[in-house]
Amino acid sequence: MSSPPSSLWVTNRGVVAICFLALELVFFSTDSIGVPAHEYVSGDVGGTPYLEVWFQVAFLVPAALIMPLLGSLKERVGAKAIATVGPGVFGIACLLSSVATDPQLFIAMRVLQGLGAGVIPAAAGGYLGGQLGEKYTPMGKGLVALALVTGSTIGIPLSAFVTWYLSWRTLYAGLGLAALAAVAVILRLMPATPGDPKAEIDWLGYGLMAGGFGLLSLSLVVGNQREWFSSGIYVVMLWSSLLLLGLFGWRVATVPKLINLKIFQDVNYCVSAVNLSSVMFFLFMIFAIVPRFLMVVVNNTIENYAWSFLPFVAAAILTGLMVTPGASPHLIAATIPAKKKLCSAAIFTFALTALWMAYTSAQQSNSNVTLQLILVGVCFALINCLEIQMSFSTMPAELMTSASSVLFFCTNISKALSGGVSSAIRTVSTQGSWERFREQSYGSNWGLETFQEPLSGHPMGISGNLWSQGSLELLNKAIAQQAEVVNFINIATLVGLVLLVLCVLPQLHRTAPAKTKEQP
Protein backbone atom coordinates (compact mmCIF):
# COMPACT_ATOMS: atom_id res chain seq x y z
CA MET A 1 0.00 0.00 0.00
CA SER A 2 1.38 3.42 -0.90
CA SER A 3 0.91 6.45 1.31
CA PRO A 4 -1.37 9.25 0.13
CA PRO A 5 0.37 12.26 -1.43
CA SER A 6 1.78 14.63 1.15
CA SER A 7 0.35 17.59 -0.79
CA LEU A 8 -2.83 17.28 1.29
CA TRP A 9 -1.06 18.66 4.35
CA VAL A 10 -0.04 21.94 2.66
CA THR A 11 -3.61 22.81 1.64
CA ASN A 12 -6.08 24.67 3.85
CA ARG A 13 -8.01 21.44 4.25
CA GLY A 14 -4.90 19.63 5.42
CA VAL A 15 -3.88 22.38 7.85
CA VAL A 16 -7.34 22.30 9.42
CA ALA A 17 -7.06 18.51 9.69
CA ILE A 18 -3.73 18.90 11.52
CA CYS A 19 -5.38 21.34 13.93
CA PHE A 20 -8.15 18.86 14.64
CA LEU A 21 -5.54 16.19 15.30
CA ALA A 22 -3.76 18.59 17.66
CA LEU A 23 -7.02 19.24 19.51
CA GLU A 24 -7.59 15.50 19.84
CA LEU A 25 -4.10 15.10 21.30
CA VAL A 26 -4.76 17.90 23.78
CA PHE A 27 -8.13 16.44 24.78
CA PHE A 28 -6.94 12.88 25.34
CA SER A 29 -3.77 14.10 27.08
CA THR A 30 -5.94 16.12 29.49
CA ASP A 31 -8.13 13.05 29.88
CA SER A 32 -5.08 11.06 31.04
CA ILE A 33 -3.79 13.45 33.71
CA GLY A 34 -3.82 11.22 36.75
CA VAL A 35 -3.78 11.22 40.51
CA PRO A 36 -0.05 12.04 41.04
CA ALA A 37 -0.31 15.36 39.18
CA HIS A 38 -3.53 16.21 41.01
CA GLU A 39 -1.83 15.58 44.34
CA TYR A 40 0.39 18.56 43.52
CA VAL A 41 -2.69 20.58 42.55
CA SER A 42 -4.34 19.69 45.85
CA GLY A 43 -1.28 20.82 47.79
CA ASP A 44 -1.20 24.18 46.02
CA VAL A 45 -4.89 25.05 46.15
CA GLY A 46 -5.59 23.77 49.66
CA GLY A 47 -7.55 20.67 48.66
CA THR A 48 -8.09 17.55 50.71
CA PRO A 49 -7.89 13.88 49.64
CA TYR A 50 -11.71 13.95 49.60
CA LEU A 51 -11.77 16.84 47.11
CA GLU A 52 -8.82 15.53 45.11
CA VAL A 53 -10.93 12.63 43.84
CA TRP A 54 -13.30 15.14 42.25
CA PHE A 55 -10.54 16.82 40.21
CA GLN A 56 -10.68 13.98 37.66
CA VAL A 57 -14.40 13.23 37.93
CA ALA A 58 -15.25 16.89 37.31
CA PHE A 59 -13.62 16.58 33.87
CA LEU A 60 -14.55 13.05 32.80
CA VAL A 61 -18.29 13.16 33.46
CA PRO A 62 -19.13 16.52 31.75
CA ALA A 63 -16.89 15.61 28.80
CA ALA A 64 -18.85 12.40 28.29
CA LEU A 65 -22.30 13.88 28.87
CA ILE A 66 -21.97 16.67 26.31
CA MET A 67 -21.14 14.26 23.48
CA PRO A 68 -24.58 12.79 22.62
CA LEU A 69 -25.91 16.33 22.10
CA LEU A 70 -23.38 17.24 19.43
CA GLY A 71 -25.08 15.60 16.45
CA SER A 72 -28.18 17.73 17.03
CA LEU A 73 -26.10 20.84 17.73
CA LYS A 74 -24.23 20.40 14.47
CA GLU A 75 -27.52 20.46 12.56
CA ARG A 76 -28.66 23.56 14.47
CA VAL A 77 -25.50 25.74 14.41
CA GLY A 78 -23.17 24.07 11.91
CA ALA A 79 -19.95 22.07 12.22
CA LYS A 80 -17.64 25.10 12.34
CA ALA A 81 -19.44 26.64 15.30
CA ILE A 82 -19.11 23.56 17.51
CA ALA A 83 -15.52 23.04 16.30
CA THR A 84 -14.47 26.47 17.55
CA VAL A 85 -16.70 27.32 20.51
CA GLY A 86 -16.21 24.03 22.38
CA PRO A 87 -12.41 23.87 22.16
CA GLY A 88 -12.30 27.63 22.82
CA VAL A 89 -14.16 27.17 26.11
CA PHE A 90 -11.78 24.33 26.96
CA GLY A 91 -8.73 26.49 26.29
CA ILE A 92 -9.97 29.41 28.37
CA ALA A 93 -10.94 27.09 31.23
CA CYS A 94 -7.44 25.55 31.18
CA LEU A 95 -5.86 28.99 31.48
CA LEU A 96 -8.16 29.93 34.35
CA SER A 97 -7.51 26.65 36.16
CA SER A 98 -3.76 27.30 35.92
CA VAL A 99 -4.17 30.35 38.18
CA ALA A 100 -6.67 28.78 40.61
CA THR A 101 -5.90 29.31 44.29
CA ASP A 102 -8.72 27.31 45.88
CA PRO A 103 -10.09 23.81 45.13
CA GLN A 104 -13.64 24.97 44.39
CA LEU A 105 -12.48 27.23 41.54
CA PHE A 106 -10.24 24.49 40.18
CA ILE A 107 -13.11 21.98 40.17
CA ALA A 108 -15.39 24.52 38.48
CA MET A 109 -12.79 25.05 35.75
CA ARG A 110 -12.41 21.30 35.33
CA VAL A 111 -16.15 21.10 34.68
CA LEU A 112 -15.84 23.79 31.99
CA GLN A 113 -12.83 21.98 30.54
CA GLY A 114 -14.91 18.82 30.26
CA LEU A 115 -17.86 20.56 28.63
CA GLY A 116 -15.60 22.25 26.09
CA ALA A 117 -13.30 19.30 25.47
CA GLY A 118 -16.16 16.85 24.99
CA VAL A 119 -16.88 18.57 21.69
CA ILE A 120 -13.43 17.78 20.28
CA PRO A 121 -13.70 14.03 19.42
CA ALA A 122 -17.01 14.51 17.61
CA ALA A 123 -15.84 17.60 15.71
CA ALA A 124 -12.55 15.95 14.78
CA GLY A 125 -14.26 12.71 13.76
CA GLY A 126 -16.75 14.59 11.62
CA TYR A 127 -14.05 16.53 9.80
CA LEU A 128 -11.34 13.87 9.46
CA GLY A 129 -13.82 11.15 8.56
CA GLY A 130 -16.07 13.16 6.27
CA GLN A 131 -14.38 16.30 4.93
CA LEU A 132 -11.02 15.15 3.54
CA GLY A 133 -12.45 13.71 0.34
CA GLU A 134 -13.01 10.12 -0.74
CA LYS A 135 -9.32 9.56 -1.45
CA TYR A 136 -8.26 10.42 2.09
CA THR A 137 -11.30 9.20 4.04
CA PRO A 138 -9.78 5.86 5.19
CA MET A 139 -6.68 7.70 6.40
CA GLY A 140 -8.77 10.35 8.16
CA LYS A 141 -10.86 7.75 9.98
CA GLY A 142 -7.69 5.95 11.02
CA LEU A 143 -6.09 9.15 12.31
CA VAL A 144 -9.06 9.71 14.63
CA ALA A 145 -8.15 6.47 16.38
CA LEU A 146 -4.40 7.11 16.27
CA ALA A 147 -4.86 10.50 17.95
CA LEU A 148 -6.82 8.82 20.76
CA VAL A 149 -4.06 6.27 21.35
CA THR A 150 -1.28 8.87 21.17
CA GLY A 151 -2.96 11.41 23.44
CA SER A 152 -4.17 8.87 25.99
CA THR A 153 -0.72 7.34 26.40
CA ILE A 154 1.50 10.40 26.15
CA GLY A 155 -0.64 12.33 28.64
CA ILE A 156 0.57 10.16 31.55
CA PRO A 157 4.32 10.87 31.35
CA LEU A 158 3.76 14.39 29.94
CA SER A 159 1.73 15.47 32.96
CA ALA A 160 4.25 13.87 35.31
CA PHE A 161 7.34 15.44 33.73
CA VAL A 162 5.85 18.92 33.39
CA THR A 163 4.50 18.81 36.95
CA TRP A 164 7.82 17.57 38.36
CA TYR A 165 10.22 19.85 36.47
CA LEU A 166 8.01 22.91 36.03
CA SER A 167 4.55 23.09 37.58
CA TRP A 168 1.05 21.77 37.14
CA ARG A 169 0.12 25.38 36.39
CA THR A 170 2.48 25.30 33.40
CA LEU A 171 0.85 22.06 32.27
CA TYR A 172 -2.67 23.47 32.21
CA ALA A 173 -1.56 26.78 30.73
CA GLY A 174 0.28 24.95 27.94
CA LEU A 175 -2.73 22.78 27.12
CA GLY A 176 -4.98 25.83 27.06
CA LEU A 177 -2.69 27.83 24.77
CA ALA A 178 -2.29 24.88 22.39
CA ALA A 179 -6.07 24.49 22.15
CA LEU A 180 -6.65 28.20 21.52
CA ALA A 181 -3.94 28.27 18.83
CA ALA A 182 -5.61 25.38 17.00
CA VAL A 183 -9.02 27.07 17.33
CA ALA A 184 -7.63 30.28 15.82
CA VAL A 185 -6.41 28.40 12.73
CA ILE A 186 -9.67 26.46 12.36
CA LEU A 187 -11.67 29.68 12.69
CA ARG A 188 -9.67 31.26 9.89
CA LEU A 189 -9.31 28.36 7.43
CA MET A 190 -12.29 26.04 7.91
CA PRO A 191 -15.07 26.78 5.40
CA ALA A 192 -18.30 28.17 6.83
CA THR A 193 -20.90 25.51 7.53
CA PRO A 194 -24.23 27.20 8.29
CA GLY A 195 -26.68 25.20 10.31
CA ASP A 196 -30.46 25.04 10.28
CA PRO A 197 -31.94 27.24 13.04
CA LYS A 198 -35.18 25.28 12.73
CA ALA A 199 -33.53 21.94 13.50
CA GLU A 200 -35.11 20.47 16.61
CA ILE A 201 -33.13 19.44 19.68
CA ASP A 202 -34.70 17.07 22.16
CA TRP A 203 -33.73 18.90 25.34
CA LEU A 204 -35.97 16.71 27.47
CA GLY A 205 -34.33 13.56 26.17
CA TYR A 206 -30.90 15.07 26.69
CA GLY A 207 -31.78 16.12 30.23
CA LEU A 208 -32.93 12.59 31.08
CA MET A 209 -29.77 11.10 29.56
CA ALA A 210 -27.39 13.55 31.24
CA GLY A 211 -29.16 13.25 34.56
CA GLY A 212 -29.22 9.46 34.46
CA PHE A 213 -25.64 8.78 33.41
CA GLY A 214 -24.31 11.75 35.36
CA LEU A 215 -25.92 10.73 38.65
CA LEU A 216 -24.87 7.11 38.13
CA SER A 217 -21.23 8.13 37.61
CA LEU A 218 -21.20 10.53 40.53
CA SER A 219 -22.99 8.07 42.81
CA LEU A 220 -20.03 5.70 42.57
CA VAL A 221 -17.74 8.38 43.97
CA VAL A 222 -20.21 9.46 46.66
CA GLY A 223 -20.92 5.87 47.66
CA ASN A 224 -17.23 5.09 47.99
CA GLN A 225 -16.72 8.13 50.22
CA ARG A 226 -19.88 7.68 52.31
CA GLU A 227 -20.06 3.93 52.98
CA TRP A 228 -22.50 3.10 50.19
CA PHE A 229 -26.01 2.10 51.30
CA SER A 230 -25.48 3.50 54.78
CA SER A 231 -25.58 6.93 53.11
CA GLY A 232 -28.99 8.35 52.27
CA ILE A 233 -27.42 10.63 49.66
CA TYR A 234 -25.98 7.65 47.76
CA VAL A 235 -29.28 5.76 47.84
CA VAL A 236 -31.19 8.76 46.46
CA MET A 237 -28.60 9.33 43.72
CA LEU A 238 -28.58 5.67 42.69
CA TRP A 239 -32.36 5.26 42.43
CA SER A 240 -32.77 8.66 40.77
CA SER A 241 -30.19 7.71 38.13
CA LEU A 242 -31.94 4.41 37.39
CA LEU A 243 -35.31 6.17 37.09
CA LEU A 244 -33.91 8.83 34.73
CA LEU A 245 -32.17 6.20 32.57
CA GLY A 246 -35.43 4.30 32.29
CA LEU A 247 -37.26 7.45 31.23
CA PHE A 248 -34.47 8.20 28.74
CA GLY A 249 -34.88 4.77 27.17
CA TRP A 250 -38.62 5.40 26.85
CA ARG A 251 -37.97 8.84 25.34
CA VAL A 252 -35.55 7.52 22.71
CA ALA A 253 -38.01 4.79 21.71
CA THR A 254 -40.94 7.19 21.34
CA VAL A 255 -39.29 10.46 20.24
CA PRO A 256 -35.92 9.60 18.61
CA LYS A 257 -34.68 13.18 18.09
CA LEU A 258 -31.62 13.40 20.32
CA ILE A 259 -29.50 10.85 18.46
CA ASN A 260 -29.58 10.14 14.73
CA LEU A 261 -30.65 6.49 14.81
CA LYS A 262 -29.33 5.96 11.28
CA ILE A 263 -25.87 5.38 12.77
CA PHE A 264 -27.19 2.21 14.42
CA GLN A 265 -28.13 0.74 11.05
CA ASP A 266 -24.41 0.05 10.58
CA VAL A 267 -23.75 -3.32 12.21
CA ASN A 268 -20.00 -2.77 12.46
CA TYR A 269 -20.59 0.48 14.32
CA CYS A 270 -22.96 -1.16 16.80
CA VAL A 271 -20.54 -4.00 17.45
CA SER A 272 -17.66 -1.57 18.04
CA ALA A 273 -19.74 0.56 20.39
CA VAL A 274 -20.47 -2.52 22.51
CA ASN A 275 -16.92 -3.82 22.27
CA LEU A 276 -15.22 -0.55 23.20
CA SER A 277 -17.65 0.14 26.04
CA SER A 278 -17.08 -3.32 27.50
CA VAL A 279 -13.37 -3.74 26.90
CA MET A 280 -12.32 -0.18 27.73
CA PHE A 281 -14.14 -0.37 31.07
CA PHE A 282 -11.63 -2.99 32.17
CA LEU A 283 -8.62 -1.54 30.35
CA PHE A 284 -9.00 1.72 32.25
CA MET A 285 -8.90 -0.20 35.52
CA ILE A 286 -5.31 -1.11 34.73
CA PHE A 287 -4.49 2.50 33.83
CA ALA A 288 -5.91 3.61 37.18
CA ILE A 289 -3.85 1.31 39.39
CA VAL A 290 -0.39 1.22 37.80
CA PRO A 291 0.80 4.80 38.64
CA ARG A 292 -0.24 4.47 42.29
CA PHE A 293 1.37 1.02 42.51
CA LEU A 294 4.64 2.40 41.15
CA MET A 295 4.65 5.19 43.72
CA VAL A 296 3.38 3.43 46.85
CA VAL A 297 4.88 -0.04 46.42
CA VAL A 298 7.91 0.39 44.15
CA ASN A 299 8.84 3.71 45.84
CA ASN A 300 8.95 5.83 42.68
CA THR A 301 8.53 9.57 42.59
CA ILE A 302 6.27 11.17 39.97
CA GLU A 303 9.37 11.66 37.83
CA ASN A 304 10.64 8.09 38.11
CA TYR A 305 7.37 6.43 37.24
CA ALA A 306 7.04 8.73 34.22
CA TRP A 307 10.26 7.24 32.82
CA SER A 308 8.73 3.77 33.21
CA PHE A 309 5.84 4.88 31.01
CA LEU A 310 7.97 6.13 28.09
CA PRO A 311 8.48 2.65 26.55
CA PHE A 312 4.73 2.11 26.94
CA VAL A 313 4.07 5.33 25.00
CA ALA A 314 6.56 4.40 22.26
CA ALA A 315 5.08 0.90 21.89
CA ALA A 316 1.53 2.24 21.66
CA ILE A 317 2.32 4.94 19.08
CA LEU A 318 4.46 2.70 16.86
CA THR A 319 1.83 -0.03 16.93
CA GLY A 320 -0.90 2.48 16.11
CA LEU A 321 1.06 3.77 13.14
CA MET A 322 1.40 0.25 11.72
CA VAL A 323 -2.37 -0.28 11.60
CA THR A 324 -3.42 3.22 10.47
CA PRO A 325 -4.14 3.67 6.73
CA GLY A 326 -1.87 6.28 5.19
CA ALA A 327 0.50 6.35 8.17
CA SER A 328 2.58 3.34 7.11
CA PRO A 329 3.67 2.14 3.65
CA HIS A 330 2.99 -1.44 4.81
CA LEU A 331 -0.40 -1.44 6.46
CA ILE A 332 -1.09 -4.32 8.83
CA ALA A 333 -4.67 -5.66 8.90
CA ALA A 334 -6.07 -3.78 5.89
CA THR A 335 -9.39 -5.66 5.74
CA ILE A 336 -12.21 -6.26 8.19
CA PRO A 337 -11.47 -10.02 8.57
CA ALA A 338 -7.82 -9.27 9.35
CA LYS A 339 -8.78 -6.53 11.82
CA LYS A 340 -11.18 -8.89 13.61
CA LYS A 341 -8.53 -11.53 14.15
CA LEU A 342 -5.84 -9.09 15.26
CA CYS A 343 -8.19 -7.27 17.64
CA SER A 344 -9.27 -10.53 19.29
CA ALA A 345 -5.63 -11.53 19.65
CA ALA A 346 -4.85 -8.15 21.24
CA ILE A 347 -7.64 -8.50 23.83
CA PHE A 348 -6.51 -12.05 24.61
CA THR A 349 -2.89 -10.90 25.00
CA PHE A 350 -3.98 -8.04 27.23
CA ALA A 351 -5.86 -10.55 29.40
CA LEU A 352 -2.74 -12.70 29.79
CA THR A 353 -0.66 -9.60 30.55
CA ALA A 354 -3.12 -8.53 33.26
CA LEU A 355 -2.89 -11.98 34.84
CA TRP A 356 0.90 -11.72 34.68
CA MET A 357 0.71 -8.32 36.35
CA ALA A 358 -1.44 -9.88 39.10
CA TYR A 359 1.44 -12.20 39.93
CA THR A 360 3.27 -9.52 41.89
CA SER A 361 4.60 -8.60 45.33
CA ALA A 362 6.04 -5.68 47.27
CA GLN A 363 9.46 -6.57 45.79
CA GLN A 364 8.32 -5.74 42.26
CA SER A 365 10.93 -3.99 40.09
CA ASN A 366 10.58 -1.07 37.70
CA SER A 367 12.07 -3.09 34.85
CA ASN A 368 9.45 -5.81 35.18
CA VAL A 369 6.59 -3.29 35.28
CA THR A 370 8.09 -1.50 32.27
CA LEU A 371 8.10 -4.73 30.25
CA GLN A 372 4.47 -5.34 31.20
CA LEU A 373 3.57 -1.79 30.21
CA ILE A 374 5.13 -2.30 26.76
CA LEU A 375 2.76 -5.21 26.15
CA VAL A 376 -0.12 -3.14 27.51
CA GLY A 377 0.78 -0.33 25.10
CA VAL A 378 0.80 -2.64 22.07
CA CYS A 379 -2.55 -4.18 23.01
CA PHE A 380 -4.13 -0.83 23.90
CA ALA A 381 -3.18 0.60 20.50
CA LEU A 382 -4.41 -2.40 18.54
CA ILE A 383 -7.75 -2.61 20.36
CA ASN A 384 -8.53 1.09 20.00
CA CYS A 385 -7.24 1.63 16.47
CA LEU A 386 -8.79 -1.49 14.99
CA GLU A 387 -12.17 -1.20 16.72
CA ILE A 388 -12.54 2.50 15.87
CA GLN A 389 -11.55 1.84 12.27
CA MET A 390 -14.08 -0.99 12.01
CA SER A 391 -16.78 1.17 13.58
CA PHE A 392 -16.31 3.87 10.94
CA SER A 393 -15.37 1.64 7.99
CA THR A 394 -18.87 1.63 6.46
CA MET A 395 -20.20 4.84 8.07
CA PRO A 396 -21.37 7.54 5.58
CA ALA A 397 -19.44 10.81 5.78
CA GLU A 398 -22.51 12.88 6.68
CA LEU A 399 -23.08 10.76 9.82
CA MET A 400 -19.51 10.86 11.10
CA THR A 401 -20.10 13.64 13.64
CA SER A 402 -23.05 11.83 15.22
CA ALA A 403 -21.24 8.50 15.06
CA SER A 404 -18.09 9.93 16.66
CA SER A 405 -20.02 11.67 19.42
CA VAL A 406 -21.92 8.55 20.47
CA LEU A 407 -18.91 6.23 20.19
CA PHE A 408 -16.66 8.46 22.29
CA PHE A 409 -19.49 9.00 24.75
CA CYS A 410 -19.53 5.24 25.29
CA THR A 411 -15.77 5.08 25.91
CA ASN A 412 -15.69 8.13 28.17
CA ILE A 413 -18.65 7.14 30.30
CA SER A 414 -17.06 3.69 30.58
CA LYS A 415 -13.91 5.34 31.88
CA ALA A 416 -15.87 7.37 34.44
CA LEU A 417 -17.76 4.29 35.65
CA SER A 418 -14.57 2.23 35.62
CA GLY A 419 -12.85 4.75 37.88
CA GLY A 420 -15.68 4.52 40.40
CA VAL A 421 -15.70 0.72 40.43
CA SER A 422 -11.90 0.60 40.63
CA SER A 423 -11.93 2.95 43.63
CA ALA A 424 -14.57 0.82 45.34
CA ILE A 425 -12.48 -2.33 44.85
CA ARG A 426 -9.45 -0.51 46.20
CA THR A 427 -11.35 0.63 49.29
CA VAL A 428 -12.59 -2.88 50.06
CA SER A 429 -9.21 -4.47 49.33
CA THR A 430 -7.11 -2.06 51.36
CA GLN A 431 -9.45 -1.87 54.34
CA GLY A 432 -9.61 -5.65 54.59
CA SER A 433 -5.85 -5.91 54.15
CA TRP A 434 -5.12 -3.37 56.88
CA GLU A 435 -7.26 -5.31 59.33
CA ARG A 436 -5.68 -8.63 58.41
CA PHE A 437 -2.10 -7.38 58.47
CA ARG A 438 -2.58 -5.47 61.71
CA GLU A 439 -3.66 -8.71 63.42
CA GLN A 440 -0.07 -9.89 63.01
CA SER A 441 1.32 -6.84 64.84
CA TYR A 442 2.03 -8.36 68.24
CA GLY A 443 5.26 -7.98 70.18
CA SER A 444 6.50 -11.60 69.91
CA ASN A 445 6.20 -11.73 66.12
CA TRP A 446 9.79 -12.25 64.94
CA GLY A 447 8.95 -10.71 61.56
CA LEU A 448 8.68 -7.29 63.20
CA GLU A 449 12.33 -7.23 64.22
CA THR A 450 13.09 -5.39 60.98
CA PHE A 451 10.98 -2.47 62.12
CA GLN A 452 12.54 -2.31 65.59
CA GLU A 453 16.19 -2.69 64.61
CA PRO A 454 16.69 0.80 63.07
CA LEU A 455 15.56 2.31 66.37
CA SER A 456 18.11 0.50 68.53
CA GLY A 457 20.03 2.95 70.73
CA HIS A 458 17.80 5.90 69.88
CA PRO A 459 15.15 7.67 72.00
CA MET A 460 11.88 5.79 71.56
CA GLY A 461 9.61 8.87 71.55
CA ILE A 462 5.97 8.34 72.37
CA SER A 463 5.47 4.68 73.26
CA GLY A 464 2.84 2.24 74.42
CA ASN A 465 3.02 -1.25 75.90
CA LEU A 466 4.23 -2.74 72.63
CA TRP A 467 5.20 0.00 70.18
CA SER A 468 7.16 3.18 69.96
CA GLN A 469 6.17 6.10 67.74
CA GLY A 470 8.98 5.35 65.31
CA SER A 471 8.24 1.66 64.91
CA LEU A 472 4.57 2.37 64.24
CA GLU A 473 5.50 4.72 61.41
CA LEU A 474 7.72 2.13 59.76
CA LEU A 475 5.18 -0.61 60.30
CA ASN A 476 2.28 1.38 58.89
CA LYS A 477 4.27 2.19 55.76
CA ALA A 478 4.94 -1.49 55.18
CA ILE A 479 1.28 -2.39 55.75
CA ALA A 480 0.23 0.32 53.29
CA GLN A 481 2.49 -1.23 50.66
CA GLN A 482 1.12 -4.71 51.25
CA ALA A 483 -2.47 -3.43 51.14
CA GLU A 484 -1.76 -1.75 47.80
CA VAL A 485 -0.30 -5.01 46.48
CA VAL A 486 -3.51 -6.85 47.42
CA ASN A 487 -5.59 -4.22 45.62
CA PHE A 488 -3.36 -4.47 42.53
CA ILE A 489 -3.68 -8.26 42.49
CA ASN A 490 -7.46 -8.15 42.89
CA ILE A 491 -8.04 -5.68 40.06
CA ALA A 492 -5.49 -7.17 37.65
CA THR A 493 -6.92 -10.66 38.17
CA LEU A 494 -10.48 -9.43 37.59
CA VAL A 495 -9.45 -7.63 34.41
CA GLY A 496 -7.53 -10.61 33.08
CA LEU A 497 -10.34 -13.11 33.65
CA VAL A 498 -13.04 -10.88 32.13
CA LEU A 499 -10.97 -10.03 29.05
CA LEU A 500 -10.39 -13.72 28.38
CA VAL A 501 -14.14 -13.87 27.72
CA LEU A 502 -14.45 -10.54 25.89
CA CYS A 503 -11.78 -11.43 23.32
CA VAL A 504 -14.49 -13.09 21.19
CA LEU A 505 -16.45 -9.84 20.70
CA PRO A 506 -14.53 -8.56 17.63
CA GLN A 507 -15.59 -11.68 15.72
CA LEU A 508 -19.13 -10.26 15.55
CA HIS A 509 -18.04 -7.68 12.95
CA ARG A 510 -19.22 -8.15 9.38
CA THR A 511 -16.98 -7.95 6.37
CA ALA A 512 -17.25 -4.62 4.57
CA PRO A 513 -18.33 -4.54 0.92
CA ALA A 514 -15.47 -4.52 -1.55
CA LYS A 515 -15.84 -0.82 -2.33
CA THR A 516 -15.24 0.11 1.32
CA LYS A 517 -11.94 -1.68 1.69
CA GLU A 518 -9.42 0.74 3.09
CA GLN A 519 -7.30 1.32 0.02
CA PRO A 520 -6.32 4.88 -0.83
Side-chain angles (χ1 to χ4, degrees):
M1 169 186 169
S2 59
S3 299
S6 59
S7 58
L8 168 70
W9 306 113
V10 298
T11 64
N12 286 354
R13 185 175 56 178
V15 173
V16 171
I18 291 173
C19 289
F20 274 116
L21 288 172
L23 285 174
E24 273 203 283
L25 291 175
V26 169
F27 166 65
F28 289 113
S29 295
T30 308
D31 197 34
S32 298
I33 295 175
V35 172
H38 286 151
E39 288 180 351
Y40 283 77
V41 177
S42 183
D44 278 354
V45 301
T48 64
Y50 175 87
L51 286 175
E52 186 182 310
V53 175
W54 293 95
F55 291 167
Q56 192 75 355
V57 176
F59 176 85
L60 288 175
V61 176
L65 295 182
I66 194 67
M67 292 178 180
L69 185 63
L70 297 177
S72 299
L73 279 179
K74 177 195 172 186
E75 293 184 17
R76 172 74 71 86
V77 302
K80 185 173 183 178
I82 66 170
T84 52
V85 174
V89 170
F90 167 77
I92 293 172
C94 280
L95 292 178
L96 292 176
S97 67
S98 70
V99 297
T101 56
D102 63 82
Q104 289 76 21
L105 176 60
F106 185 78
I107 290 175
M109 290 303 101
R110 287 290 278 170
V111 172
L112 281 180
Q113 286 176 32
L115 291 174
V119 174
I120 293 173
Y127 189 85
L128 294 169
Q131 301 299 317
L132 297 184
E134 183 178 355
K135 183 177 183 180
Y136 300 104
T137 293
M139 179 186 66
K141 293 178 178 179
L143 289 176
V144 172
L146 182 61
L148 179 151
V149 169
T150 303
S152 297
T153 54
I154 204 172
I156 301 173
L158 174 67
S159 63
F161 281 133
V162 175
T163 300
W164 181 265
Y165 288 109
L166 296 172
S167 167
W168 65 268
R169 298 184 186 278
T170 304
L171 173 66
Y172 278 99
L175 292 171
L177 291 174
L180 291 176
V183 168
V185 176
I186 292 173
L187 186 62
R188 179 177 178 82
L189 298 181
M190 184 177 177
T193 51
D196 180 8
K198 297 182 180 179
E200 294 185 32
I201 298 179
D202 184 13
W203 291 108
L204 175 58
Y206 176 71
L208 294 172
M209 183 280 303
F213 281 108
L215 281 176
L216 181 61
S217 302
L218 298 180
S219 71
L220 291 173
V221 182
V222 172
N224 196 44
Q225 294 181 332
R226 295 175 178 264
E227 298 300 326
W228 300 100
F229 286 98
S230 63
S231 168
I233 296 176
Y234 167 71
V235 173
V236 171
M237 292 179 69
L238 175 62
W239 286 110
S240 298
S241 68
L242 295 178
L243 174 62
L244 289 172
L245 288 174
L247 292 173
F248 170 64
W250 166 80
R251 181 71 177 179
V252 170
T254 56
V255 187
K257 293 181 180 179
L258 179 62
I259 299 172
N260 191 335
L261 298 184
K262 290 181 180 179
I263 62 177
F264 297 114
Q265 296 175 359
D266 189 311
V267 174
N268 284 327
Y269 178 82
C270 294
V271 171
S272 286
V274 173
N275 290 358
L276 284 173
S277 300
S278 304
V279 174
M280 297 309 291
F281 179 90
F282 295 97
L283 295 190
F284 284 128
M285 281 189 171
I286 295 294
F287 281 97
I289 61 176
V290 172
R292 183 177 180 86
F293 181 83
L294 286 171
M295 295 183 69
V296 175
V297 178
V298 194
N299 292 318
N300 284 277
T301 63
I302 187 174
E303 177 207 25
N304 292 342
Y305 97 72
W307 285 107
S308 299
F309 270 94
L310 287 183
F312 157 77
V313 173
I317 294 176
L318 290 175
T319 302
L321 288 170
M322 290 189 293
V323 295
T324 300
S328 171
H330 304 288
L331 180 66
I332 298 175
T335 62
I336 295 291
K339 294 181 194 297
K340 290 165 53 176
K341 295 177 182 177
L342 188 55
C343 189
S344 288
I347 297 174
F348 181 76
T349 303
F350 199 109
L352 296 181
T353 303
L355 294 175
W356 176 25
M357 296 172 77
Y359 189 73
T360 188
S361 69
Q363 285 71 49
Q364 183 66 272
S365 66
N366 269 337
S367 58
N368 199 41
V369 175
T370 300
L371 179 59
Q372 293 167 342
L373 285 174
I374 291 174
L375 288 175
V376 168
V378 172
C379 297
F380 179 76
L382 289 175
I383 294 167
N384 276 279
C385 286
L386 295 176
E387 277 292 356
I388 293 175
Q389 288 178 34
M390 286 189 284
S391 72
F392 295 150
S393 61
T394 51
M395 184 62 62
E398 64 272 13
L399 296 178
M400 277 297 297
T401 298
S402 295
S404 299
S405 64
V406 174
L407 184 69
F408 287 116
F409 164 76
C410 292
T411 59
N412 277 267
I413 204 67
S414 290
K415 183 172 184 178
L417 295 174
S418 174
V421 173
S422 181
S423 296
I425 294 174
R426 178 179 178 275
T427 298
V428 174
S429 299
T430 53
Q431 285 181 350
S433 299
W434 269 90
E435 294 174 2
R436 185 168 69 255
F437 292 136
R438 287 294 289 178
E439 290 176 355
Q440 307 302 316
S441 302
Y442 48 86
S444 59
N445 187 337
W446 62 269
L448 300 179
E449 293 177 0
T450 303
F451 302 102
Q452 298 286 6
E453 186 177 354
L455 303 169
S456 178
H458 295 276
M460 300 303 287
I462 301 173
S463 61
N465 294 330
L466 298 176
W467 303 112
S468 70
Q469 183 180 18
S471 62
L472 277 177
E473 183 178 346
L474 293 171
L475 180 62
N476 287 340
K477 180 180 179 181
I479 291 179
Q481 289 180 320
Q482 294 296 338
E484 198 64 40
V485 169
V486 172
N487 171 62
F488 191 91
I489 291 172
N490 288 345
I491 292 181
T493 302
L494 171 65
V495 170
L497 293 177
V498 173
L499 289 181
L500 284 176
V501 178
L502 296 182
C503 68
V504 301
L505 290 180
Q507 299 306 313
L508 299 176
H509 281 284
R510 293 183 180 178
T511 302
K515 66 179 181 179
T516 64
K517 287 185 179 179
E518 297 177 0
Q519 300 293 337

